Amino acid sequence: MASGVGYRGTNRCFPFWEDFQQCYFSSKQESRSDCVAARDDYLECLHHFKEIARVRTIQAVERDNYAKAKANGTDHKIISLASGGGTSSAKDTKELVENIRRLEANVLSSQQNLNDIVDILKIAKGDGTETVFAAISSLGRIYSALWAKGLVSRSKEHKDTASAKVSDWLRDNYNQYIDLLLAMLSRGDAPMQVAALKLLLQMVEKEGQYASKSTGVYEFPNSSYIAIIESVLDNGAASDHLLRSLADSYLNIYDDLRMYFYRNVTKMASPDYDPFRKTKRSGPRTEHLVEQVEAFVQNTFTVMSMIRVVPKKTVGELDSLWVVIPEGMEKTEPAVLSPKAHRKAFSEGWLAFMRQPLTAEIYKQILTVMHKRIVPYMIDPKNLMDFLSNSYDVGGSISLLALNGLFTLISEHNLNYPQFYEKLYALFDRNLFHVKYRARFFRLFEVFLGSSHLPSYLVAAFVKRISRLALSAPPSGAVIAIPVVYNLLKAHPNCMVLIHRTPEYDEETGEEKVQEADDPYLPEETDLAKCRAMDSSLWEMQTLQNHYYPNIATLAKIFSEPFHKPKFQLEDFLDHTYNTFFESDSSRKLKKAPALAAQPPAALIRPGDALSDFFVF
């Protein structure tokens, strides 16, 4: 029957039908879409659509490989999974898959056939892709049904009874199955890795549901879950498909998986955590292979950066759980229904990850998203002070990227950062107008110096430094410097003396006391109060009025006009490059075409030329 019940009793798919029926009738009308996974599992058990499609795909590849091998004159063999070696025809493989299905049906129909699990497990440990996939899928359905009946859990009482011995035996074989799937995460190809991940998380779900029902308290089987996360994140052979599947299909959907993922990252990133506790090696991760550390850092950041869901603020929003809370249990007790617990896990996970030996590229990517995706959702954003302060002290592009997060802490969380403007002043060097983050930097810079309470000597120091750098900057940099200086002078009228200063003359000789070459500004001085910027003048802007690029020269002439024009919109100047300048000039329509015609000469040397006195024709 479609329900899984027939005249012979329940069939192998009845447990999946029960899961789907329970989900469907216990859910509200608008949330019944959550039962799609349970429905798909039931239909897959009945018809094996996905398994058949997978088998056909593999068979097509095998036939293609066989045709290529035959054309090249080589021998193409299909490895048998059951024997662990030798050759097998497509017919033998099909018979083996049918045998797996028969064994699965026997196990699900009666507990007297539990020994058939050993035969399926032996096939799953073989070498062929097709039958291995069929075997691990079959074992997944078997153990899902056994977890629902509570047969996989070890019996704590009456260990000498027959049922306790059966449970222990099933648990031992179950552990072998889990170890096999974990090994596939490290050694399998991308499709097999994703299949193994799906089956492992399916076992976590069944184990959690059984534990919660048997104890009456919500329990998430994190000991099993962390083994999966560890196998993925410490895996140097983890495919992009595996990492994206973990993030998109699970962590972005299920709140409990996401919270415990952050908790496990915190635990794995701990200096005392031993990832080799189950092997002959021991000790923290950093004491072993460098590749192990690099794989953990890269994979962890890849997954965390793909998690788009931020910690939720209310209990009502935490409505998607992988391990469902049983009916009748108090829903306020579990930590997975506490928004504060989710934020705490998020905060501790990111902080623990930032203590790892990050590559320069990952370092920059974290700083890029810091102010939008990390700081707003931390329980205490001040915990990021050390990371951002150290990043700001590094210099170069990393300091530029750290400004966003640091400014958020200063403006919104009352961070007191000593000598902030002195270090900001140090960032203005020749490289500033060449880095790709300059647009982002000047957006923030305009905010930093927007206060009218800043002292005049400080603003004048920045005005002089920017003007001096504009002389050697490319056109795309000079076109930013001019509006920035103009806006600063408009916002701080006390600095207007820089463009209105007249030279002093000696009363006796009538000569200037200070020559243009004797600029009192000290560009190497790091103390803004001692650099003597207020004693100088903006002769650099007058120099830019003779710039080789006419547009820059025209823009710089605004300093020779009365300051009646409004402030520039800095966004209009931040994204210019050589390409934009070229496109703008090449597409400009000329009002009057230049005279390009020339009168052709009538002779090689014309009368009046310099050589006409030496040659006579």
Side-chain angles (χ1 to χ4, degrees):
M1 300 291 291
S3 63
V5 182
Y7 68 91
R8 293 182 180 178
T10 60
N11 67 9
R12 59 185 175 82
C13 299
F14 183 66
F16 298 99
W17 167 257
E18 282 186 318
D19 292 342
F20 172 64
Q21 191 179 36
Q22 180 181 1
C23 177
Y24 186 83
F25 288 107
S26 63
S27 302
K28 297 181 181 179
Q29 183 70 29
E30 60 272 10
S31 62
R32 286 179 177 173
S33 59
D34 297 337
C35 303
V36 173
R39 182 202 64 187
D40 291 345
D41 288 342
Y42 172 62
L43 294 177
E44 176 66 14
C45 179
L46 282 178
H47 307 292
H48 305 283
F49 291 135
K50 297 180 181 179
E51 183 178 345
I52 292 173
R54 169 75 177 176
V55 169
R56 287 176 177 173
T57 302
I58 295 174
Q59 287 176 343
V61 175
E62 288 292 323
R63 286 194 296 268
D64 187 46
N65 292 339
Y66 177 78
K68 292 179 180 178
K70 188 175 182 180
N72 297 331
T74 58
D75 185 20
H76 178 70
K77 298 180 180 180
I78 301 177
I79 304 300
S80 172
L81 293 170
S83 61
T87 60
S88 174
S89 63
K91 182 179 179 181
D92 294 336
T93 302
K94 183 176 180 180
E95 292 177 354
L96 191 57
V97 172
E98 292 296 332
N99 185 41
I100 293 172
R101 293 177 181 172
R102 180 180 57 80
L103 294 174
E104 176 189 347
N106 292 341
V107 173
L108 293 175
S109 63
S110 174
Q111 295 184 20
Q112 297 178 353
N113 300 321
L114 291 177
N115 286 329
D116 290 340
I117 293 178
V118 178
D119 296 331
I120 302 177
L121 189 59
K122 186 182 299 183
I123 298 174
K125 294 179 180 179
D127 298 327
T129 304
E130 183 176 341
T131 47
V132 164
F133 181 79
I136 62 174
S137 301
S138 176
L139 288 172
R141 292 187 289 268
I142 290 173
Y143 281 114
S144 295
L146 294 179
W147 268 117
K149 297 177 181 178
L151 296 178
V152 185
S153 177
R154 294 187 187 275
S155 177
K156 297 181 181 180
E157 299 180 356
H158 309 292
K159 294 184 178 180
D160 296 332
T161 62
S163 60
K165 292 180 179 179
V166 170
S167 295
D168 291 343
W169 179 83
L170 283 173
R171 186 69 184 200
D172 291 337
N173 284 277
Y174 174 76
N175 291 338
Q176 293 183 43
Y177 173 59
I178 295 299
D179 291 340
L180 176 63
L181 293 178
L182 292 174
M184 287 181 177
L185 289 178
S186 302
R187 298 193 297 268
D189 56 358
M192 193 63 75
Q193 287 179 344
V194 174
L197 176 65
K198 178 181 179 181
L199 291 170
L200 284 166
L201 291 176
Q202 182 180 331
M203 295 301 102
V204 168
E205 177 191 13
K206 301 303 179 183
E207 182 180 352
Q209 289 177 353
Y210 171 77
S212 300
K213 289 179 181 179
S214 60
T215 60
V217 179
Y218 179 83
E219 291 188 13
F220 185 90
N222 194 43
S223 58
S224 300
Y225 184 54
I226 193 174
I228 302 172
I229 299 302
E230 183 178 308
S231 298
V232 173
L233 300 185
D234 278 339
N235 184 6
S239 63
D240 293 338
H241 194 33
L242 172 64
L243 301 178
R244 184 166 295 280
S245 177
L246 173 63
D248 293 344
S249 301
Y250 300 100
L251 301 182
N252 277 323
I253 299 176
Y254 300 101
D255 299 315
D256 52 348
L257 292 181
R258 184 170 58 255
M259 186 187 78
Y260 280 97
F261 171 80
Y262 284 123
R263 287 188 176 184
N264 293 334
V265 167
T266 303
K267 187 180 296 184
M268 295 172 63
S270 172
D272 300 328
Y273 184 73
D274 181 10
F276 309 108
R277 60 194 180 281
K278 296 183 180 180
T279 64
K280 295 181 180 180
R281 293 184 291 176
S282 62
R285 180 183 289 103
T286 52
E287 293 181 2
H288 293 280
L289 300 177
V290 176
E291 293 81 2
Q292 185 88 15
V293 181
E294 293 177 351
F296 172 75
V297 170
Q298 183 61 54
N299 292 338
T300 303
F301 179 73
T302 300
V303 175
M304 293 176 74
S305 62
M306 288 191 289
I307 298 178
R308 300 182 300 274
V309 180
V310 298
K312 299 176 180 178
K313 298 181 179 179
T314 62
V315 177
E317 294 177 316
L318 299 171
D319 56 355
S320 180
L321 300 179
W322 181 251
V323 179
V324 181
I325 300 176
E327 294 183 2
M329 188 177 296
E330 292 293 334
K331 292 192 174 184
T332 57
E333 292 181 356
V336 292
L337 293 181
S338 171
K340 185 176 180 180
H342 283 265
R343 293 189 66 185
K344 181 180 179 182
F346 174 86
S347 302
E348 293 177 349
W350 272 108
L351 288 173
F353 177 72
M354 291 176 190
R355 299 187 189 103
Q356 301 303 299
L358 307 177
T359 63
E361 186 60 30
I362 292 179
Y363 207 136
K364 292 178 181 178
Q365 291 184 41
I366 291 177
L367 293 173
T368 302
V369 301
M370 175 72 71
H371 63 294
K372 288 186 177 180
R373 295 182 55 184
I374 300 178
V375 174
Y377 308 105
M378 301 285 288
I379 285 186
D380 187 4
K382 294 180 181 178
N383 290 329
L384 294 169
M385 287 182 182
D386 292 340
F387 180 80
L388 290 172
S389 299
N390 294 336
S391 302
Y392 191 49
D393 294 338
V394 169
S397 58
I398 291 181
S399 295
L400 301 184
L401 293 173
L403 275 176
N404 252 334
L406 198 60
F407 176 70
T408 302
L409 294 184
I410 293 174
S411 59
E412 298 180 11
H413 303 282
N414 300 322
L415 170 64
N416 184 16
Y417 189 89
Q419 297 182 334
F420 173 79
Y421 285 101
E422 285 76 3
K423 293 183 178 179
L424 179 64
Y425 183 74
L427 294 180
F428 283 85
D429 56 15
R430 288 178 174 270
N431 299 323
L432 179 61
F433 289 106
H434 297 272
V435 296
K436 63 179 180 180
Y437 306 110
R438 68 184 177 199
R440 177 176 180 168
F441 172 79
F442 277 104
R443 290 188 186 98
L444 286 173
F445 176 75
E446 191 175 33
V447 176
F448 295 152
L449 270 73
S451 174
S452 59
H453 300 290
L454 294 176
S456 299
Y457 73 85
L458 186 146
V459 178
F462 281 100
V463 168
K464 278 295 294 185
R465 176 62 69 92
I466 296 173
S467 301
R468 185 66 59 88
L469 293 176
L471 294 177
S472 58
S476 56
V479 80
I480 297 175
I482 295 173
V484 168
V485 172
Y486 183 84
N487 290 348
L488 287 176
L489 294 178
K490 289 280 291 186
H492 303 274
N494 290 338
C495 296
M496 293 292 289
V497 64
L498 296 176
I499 59 173
H500 293 303
R501 174 167 282 116
T502 57
E504 298 182 5
Y505 297 92
D506 191 310
E507 295 181 357
E508 298 181 358
T509 63
E511 296 181 355
E512 294 183 11
K513 290 184 178 181
V514 180
Q515 302 294 328
E516 291 185 1
D518 299 328
D519 190 344
Y521 171 65
L522 304 175
E524 304 299 330
E525 177 61 53
T526 58
D527 190 341
L528 303 185
K530 298 179 181 180
C531 67
R532 300 185 63 189
M534 285 294 290
D535 298 332
S536 182
S537 64
L538 288 184
W539 58 266
E540 296 91 351
M541 289 300 159
Q542 187 174 7
T543 304
L544 288 177
Q545 294 177 6
N546 299 310
H547 197 276
Y548 68 88
Y549 185 48
N551 290 359
I552 302 295
T554 303
L555 185 62
K557 290 179 180 178
I558 194 172
F559 293 98
S560 300
E561 302 172 359
F563 269 52
H564 297 322
K565 294 183 179 180
K567 295 174 62 176
F568 285 105
Q569 292 296 325
L570 197 57
E571 285 293 333
D572 298 337
F573 302 90
L574 294 178
D575 297 322
H576 281 295
T577 62
Y578 280 110
N579 288 336
T580 59
F581 287 140
F582 180 80
E583 291 176 0
S584 175
D585 290 344
S586 60
S587 60
R588 182 183 301 170
K589 294 183 178 180
L590 300 177
K591 296 181 180 179
K592 183 179 180 181
L596 299 178
Q599 182 179 1
L604 179 61
I605 299 177
R606 293 174 295 183
D609 289 344
L611 297 178
S612 60
D613 297 336
F614 301 96
F615 298 94
V616 178
F617 296 94

